[in-house]
Amino acid sequence: MTTDTGAIRRDNALSLGDVPAWLWVGIVVYALLLINGSQLLGDSDTYWQTAVGQWILEHNALPRVDIYSFTKAGEPWTSSSWLAQVLYATSYNLVGWIGPVVLAAGCIAATFALFIHILGRRVPAVYAVAVAMVALALSMGHFLARPHVLVLPIMLAWANGLISASERGQAPSPWLLPLIAVWANLHGGFVFGLVLVGAFALDALWNADRAQQRSVVLRWAAFGIGALVACCATPYGWGSILAARKILDLGELLHLIYEWMPADFSKFSMFELAILAPIAGALYAGVKLTPPRIALVLGLLHMALSHVRNVEIFALLLPIVVLAPVASQFALRPAWLARTGAPMSVMAVVLALLGGWTWLLAANTTFAPPENQSPAAAVDALKAHNPRRVLNDLPFAGYLIWRQMPVFIDGRAELYGEAFEMAYYRAMQLKDVNQFLDILKKWDIEAVLLTPGTPAVGLLDHIGGWRRAYADKNAVLHVRTAN
């Protein structure tokens, strides 16, 4: 019996010439993100994240106390994303804002190329690409030039390594440990990587024969300890884990920060469709999962429902959690049997073409954060008054730090804490007018820079001792006229 490998390649690899489907998907995702590159700069936190990276490069040290606000100046602060901040700062210093855009777009594209590659080893290519496009659509809202996108390919590789080990009935390879060490230096979400170790250890235990269960427990426990030690391989040591936990202790505040808000089903959305369609398909087709996999699916769903920032984790990890059981149950055919990679010559040509196209696009396109988060004219007017203490709206915090002005508050919620930020929110929204007036007095505020829609703007227009010094569609500046 002979096998027509050429037919297998034609039938199972969605490629043009020698370029496999996973590489094509990566190229397309990269191109789409770069064409719309300014959207990756649509969060004011990009300003201060990059500013922190520049400070680290200039001082050849890591910040251990707050140096950006006057309300928390000198208080302990751990920059748990220091490596990502350095990478963004380095890319900015080299080529301007196109640098962070390319860095973020490249990591996201690598994530989806890897995603297709993982899926394609189990299911037909058309299914792999379709699932990847759904995951891309669900994740687009959280694709920003911030540290979390740099860890997406690491998270996916880490989870796939754990799943593969669990399915083989073995402990994960120690070579996975450097992944979570890098993750711990890039973003505080590495704690989730530790949680995944426990989850897949239970899955491995379920799959193991009774005689092997003790050995499986010991080997996974050893790997878990190794992963915990690897997470401490940061300049802050154990402090990185403690800092990552602080964000989860913000209580009521998490309901006011958009990315930490629960999912909203008041209107039909792509996310709702992505939940209902698999449920309907599972009920119709009779999909069966083991109890540990069911727990993993429910855990990922809970995370996505609790905080919208976890939607991309749900979109990327759910398919690979159910991949092996579903592929086995329905006898799905792998996408590529004859090869899993592209020749080095093809990779070199593709990278050269992408590099040339990126350079051409950068030379003819201006990338910059949006004006509504970059109130340049308002800050120029503010500096003309030379104030020492400015009460700022949160969307302007990153830009003020970028302009080397101490802020009242910024996006580092773990530094300010629940009580401080909730008091600030109630004051700015005039839910407690006396609290707003107390802030002006307690902190000896000399200028107030707010968005036009903030309720406190109207109050400042009508109370004595303050005058409107500047206003445009993005910002309103009030300065103190009397004590």
Side-chain angles (χ1 to χ4, degrees):
M1 180 178 178
T2 60
T3 301
D4 187 350
T5 57
I8 292 176
R9 291 178 60 176
R10 288 192 298 272
D11 292 341
N12 295 286
L14 293 180
S15 61
L16 181 61
D18 289 321
V19 182
W22 61 264
L23 185 54
W24 273 119
V25 170
I27 293 170
V28 171
V29 170
Y30 176 78
L32 289 175
L33 290 172
L34 204 60
I35 290 171
N36 300 281
S38 292
Q39 294 184 12
L40 293 173
L41 301 174
D43 190 298
S44 62
D45 282 1
T46 300
Y47 271 123
W48 72 259
Q49 298 276 10
T50 307
V52 172
Q54 291 180 329
W55 187 93
I56 293 172
L57 292 173
E58 291 169 4
H59 294 82
N60 196 27
L62 294 177
R64 297 183 182 274
V65 297
D66 174 44
I67 56 175
Y68 295 109
S69 78
F70 60 86
T71 51
K72 298 292 181 179
E75 293 197 12
W77 175 63
T78 297
S79 181
S80 56
S81 300
W82 74 271
L83 182 55
Q85 291 158 350
V86 167
L87 292 175
Y88 279 127
T90 301
S91 63
Y92 175 84
N93 292 342
L94 289 173
V95 289
W97 285 117
I98 181 64
V101 168
V102 169
L103 180 59
C107 286
I108 296 168
T111 300
F112 281 89
L114 177 59
F115 189 54
I116 288 282
H117 184 73
I118 293 170
L119 296 180
R121 297 174 68 88
R122 293 278 191 175
V123 300
V126 65
Y127 293 170
V129 173
V131 171
M133 293 303 99
V134 172
L136 179 65
L138 288 175
S139 307
M140 285 296 291
H142 203 212
F143 285 162
L144 299 162
R146 285 173 41 190
H148 70 277
V149 302
L150 303 189
V151 303
L152 289 178
I154 294 175
M155 178 194 72
L156 196 58
W158 173 258
N160 183 59
L162 297 180
I163 290 174
S164 299
S166 173
E167 292 171 351
R168 294 193 307 267
Q170 301 174 355
S173 168
W175 291 106
L176 280 177
L177 296 178
L179 282 179
I180 202 165
V182 175
W183 189 349
N185 287 278
L186 285 171
H187 189 256
F190 68 90
V191 174
F192 174 64
L194 293 176
V195 173
L196 287 178
V197 174
F200 286 111
L202 291 176
D203 186 60
L205 184 61
W206 179 273
N207 294 330
D209 296 332
R210 182 178 295 273
Q212 297 177 330
Q213 288 181 345
R214 178 181 174 83
S215 174
V216 167
V217 169
L218 292 176
R219 285 182 292 167
W220 275 83
F223 180 83
I225 294 172
L228 185 62
V229 172
C231 289
C232 296
T234 76
Y236 297 101
W238 181 260
S240 295
I241 296 178
L242 299 179
R245 271 198 49 83
K246 287 184 178 180
I247 194 70
L248 300 177
D249 296 330
L250 295 176
E252 185 182 1
L253 179 59
L254 292 180
H255 297 290
L256 301 179
I257 303 173
Y258 171 73
E259 63 183 13
W260 287 99
M261 289 181 179
D264 180 12
F265 292 108
S266 60
K267 295 181 180 179
F268 189 77
S269 65
M270 183 69 181
F271 179 44
E272 185 174 358
L273 178 62
I275 294 174
L276 296 180
I279 291 175
L283 291 173
Y284 178 79
V287 174
K288 294 181 180 180
L289 301 176
T290 62
R293 295 290 173 112
I294 293 173
L296 274 166
V297 169
L298 295 179
L300 292 171
L301 180 58
H302 172 74
M303 289 173 58
L305 293 175
S306 300
H307 307 297
V308 294
R309 66 176 290 156
N310 293 327
V311 169
E312 70 263 27
I313 296 176
F314 171 82
L316 290 170
L317 295 191
L318 178 67
I320 64 173
V321 167
V322 302
L323 181 60
V326 170
S328 175
Q329 185 174 341
F330 296 98
L332 296 178
R333 189 180 179 188
W336 18 82
L337 299 176
R339 61 176 179 165
T340 58
M344 292 301 297
S345 59
V346 173
M347 292 291 293
V349 170
V350 169
L351 290 177
L353 291 174
L354 280 179
W357 178 74
T358 300
W359 178 85
L360 185 64
L361 184 66
N364 294 277
T365 308
T366 300
F367 293 97
E371 291 184 1
N372 63 351
Q373 296 171 359
S374 313
V379 172
D380 289 340
L382 176 64
K383 284 198 166 188
H385 291 84
N386 195 30
R388 293 174 303 160
R389 294 171 175 250
V390 180
L391 176 60
N392 61 280
D393 226 333
L394 196 55
F396 300 151
Y399 184 71
L400 287 172
I401 291 175
W402 185 255
R403 295 286 298 266
Q404 300 182 340
M405 297 191 69
V407 296
F408 183 88
I409 195 171
D410 57 69
R412 297 170 296 165
E414 74 282 2
L415 169 66
Y416 296 95
E418 179 185 7
F420 183 92
E421 293 224 11
M422 289 304 302
Y424 167 83
Y425 168 77
R426 287 190 290 267
M428 294 300 102
Q429 297 300 314
L430 297 186
K431 295 181 179 296
D432 187 336
V433 174
N434 288 330
Q435 198 162 47
F436 177 73
L437 298 176
D438 287 344
I439 285 177
L440 297 179
K441 180 180 179 180
K442 175 184 177 181
W443 295 102
D444 192 21
I445 301 299
E446 298 174 343
V448 182
L449 183 65
L450 304 175
T451 59
T454 303
V457 169
L459 179 62
L460 289 171
D461 283 334
H462 293 91
I463 61 175
W466 293 88
R467 71 177 179 87
R468 182 180 286 217
Y470 178 87
D472 59 24
K473 65 179 182 178
N474 297 316
V476 179
L477 171 66
H478 288 86
V479 295
R480 185 183 290 277
T481 60
N483 292 327

